[in-house]
Structures are given as C-alpha cells and as structure tokens.
Amino acid sequence: MIHESAKIHPSAVIEDGVIIGANVTVGPFTYIATGVEIGEGTEVMSHVVIKGPTVIGKDNRIFPFAIVGEECQDKKFSGEATRLEIGDRNVIRESVQIHRGTTQDKGVTVVGNDNLLCVNAHIAHDVVVGDHTHIGNNSILGGHVTVGDYAGVMALSAIHPFCTVGAYSYVGGCSAVVQDVPPYVLAQGNHAKPFGLNIVGLQRNGFEKPELHAIRRAYKEIYRSGKTLAEVKPVLAEMAKDWPSVARFSELLDNSERGIIR
C-alpha cells in the first residue's frame, strides 16, 4: 500500500506488499522489496536497496547506495525470518549497510531514534543502537554489539562482536574495541584503553557539576582505586542510591560478557 501523497520516481522498483506512508519520497533507481514498511515523511534517495522484513519509522533520511535490511553475513544464517527495526529521524548516509538479525540471538537488528550513521558505516546482525548516537565514517559494529544512547563511535573504528559501548561514551577514531566500554568513558587505541571521562559530551547533554563529580568518583573507583571489580561493585551500588546515573556503571559490570577495557 502506497499512500497517495508519497512521491515515487518512475524508475524506482517497489515490489508488491510494500507499505509506504504519507509524504514519503523515493528517488530514482531505488529498489524496495516485499516486507518493507516506511513511515511518513521519510526520504529515500537514489540507488538505495531496502529489503525486508524491515520497518522504518518517520522522518528518516536515507542517502544514495545505502543497503538497508539485507540478510546478514553470518555463516549460520540460512534464510530464517529475521528482521530490522529502525526508529524515527535517523540520518543514514551513503553506502551504509544495516543487516537483519539472526535466530541465534534476538532475531532482530534495532536502530533507535535520532542517530547519525555516517558514510559506509556497517551495522551487523543483531546489533542494538540506541538513540542520539554518532557512528562515524567506515566504522564497523560487529554482530550482537550494543551501542548506548548518546554514544559516539568515530571514523574507522571497529567494535568486536558481543561488545557494549556504553551510554554517553566516546570511542576515538581508528580504535579497535575488543571489550566493553563503560558509560561516560573516553576510549582510544588498538586495543582501546580508557582515557578518562567524556566530560564535554556530558556537559553538552545537561549533566550538572554535582552529577559529574559523582560520575568522576565512580570512574576512579573502577580505574584508580586498585580494587578488584568485585570490591568496586558494592561501592557503586551505594553511590547509585543518590546518583542514578552511576547505576549505568553497575549494570554494565553485572552484565558484561567480555569484561571492560582496562
């Protein structure tokens, strides 16, 4: 079903069963396969490939040569019914690749709202990208990676499968991340190491001085106290009673599969 207000270029190929909302535009030589749903106000430019099952929300912009909802590159994948879900107001730049999930995990790849995925970024199967993230040019998110809200993964960085990049953290360019990056942390290098807190990013997002001091104390407990992580956890839990933002550290330490960068 294509809404009457949608503008579809004559050279675009739209298969049967595609749902296209109000005021959507589809550029020349774009291919949209069965099983795709595109929300109102989204702009799909020329030479884009979108395959399904894929649901794309409202007011997104998808630039030329992006490949959205293609089957994954996992050798275990054998055509199972998996999907991709993309939220609202995302900018998906040229040649970005976003693959559907696998049945070995959740069966779905998720991109939230208000994200910027820069040129040639790769979002692999079963990845979860939060809201307001910045994924830089040629960055690679391996399978099953999680990127928290307001995090940044800068150009030419690679995130190992099953790793987490915590909320409000910042991974510098050309980094290789093979363990979890805690929230709020600056990470850089091959292999990536912690270099303090993303203070500028926190300030830009409304964190006030008392809360920043609490986050700094939590960071020091993890990285400067000389304590084991088992010893640090109860300290963080106590701090989180007064500062909920500190709870993000506790959650990552409790759930980490690969350990944190050190």
Side-chain angles (χ1 to χ4, degrees), residues 70-261:
E70 184 57 270
E71 67 180 52
C72 67
Q73 299 177 123
D74 191 319
K75 286 186 175 181
K76 298 185 294 296
F77 182 79
S78 55
E80 298 91 347
T82 59
R83 65 191 192 280
L84 166 65
E85 298 175 0
I86 297 176
D88 303 331
R89 300 176 301 279
N90 296 288
V91 176
I92 300 172
R93 293 301 307 239
E94 298 86 344
S95 301
V96 167
Q97 311 111 43
I98 310 176
H99 291 169
R100 303 193 307 275
T102 64
T103 56
Q104 286 74 34
D105 196 344
K106 303 171 290 295
V108 59
T109 301
V110 178
V111 177
N113 304 314
D114 302 292
N115 298 290
L116 171 59
L117 310 182
C118 293
V119 170
N120 206 41
H122 176 70
I123 314 299
H125 60 87
D126 305 292
V127 165
V128 176
V129 176
D131 302 332
H132 301 280
T133 70
H134 181 168
I135 311 300
N137 296 340
N138 298 286
S139 292
I140 299 170
L141 306 185
H144 317 278
V145 162
T146 297
V147 179
D149 297 345
Y150 293 93
V153 178
M154 296 300 102
L156 297 165
S157 292
I159 314 299
H160 193 283
F162 295 98
C163 283
T164 293
V165 177
Y168 297 95
S169 64
Y170 185 96
V171 177
C174 301
S175 294
V177 175
V178 299
Q179 291 181 294
D180 295 344
V181 179
Y184 317 118
V185 168
L186 291 171
Q188 173 75 46
N190 183 5
H191 295 151
K193 295 182 174 66
F195 286 90
L197 292 168
N198 182 20
I199 295 296
V200 173
L202 294 173
Q203 290 172 335
R204 287 174 177 171
N205 286 290
F207 285 71
E208 301 291 344
K209 281 187 177 181
E211 192 169 19
L212 292 174
H213 290 323
I215 292 170
R216 186 177 284 112
R217 290 198 302 273
Y219 177 89
K220 289 180 178 179
E221 281 291 326
I222 296 170
Y223 287 111
R224 299 287 183 264
S225 68
K227 299 175 183 176
T228 66
L229 292 181
E231 293 169 328
V232 166
K233 286 181 181 181
V235 178
L236 297 181
E238 189 65 27
M239 292 177 62
K241 294 177 181 178
D242 295 321
W243 300 101
S245 54
V246 173
R248 288 193 175 101
F249 284 118
S250 298
E251 291 167 5
L252 182 65
L253 294 181
D254 288 339
N255 298 316
S256 177
E257 297 183 18
R258 297 185 57 81
I260 64 171
I261 60 172

Side-chain angles (χ1 to χ4, degrees), residues 36-40 42 44 50 54-58 60 62 68 84-88 92:
V36 173
E37 179 177 346
I38 302 176
E40 64 182 63
T42 289
V44 182
I50 307 178
T54 292
V55 176
I56 299 172
K58 301 177 181 179
N60 295 283
I62 305 177
V68 177
L84 166 65
E85 298 175 0
I86 297 176
D88 303 331
I92 300 172

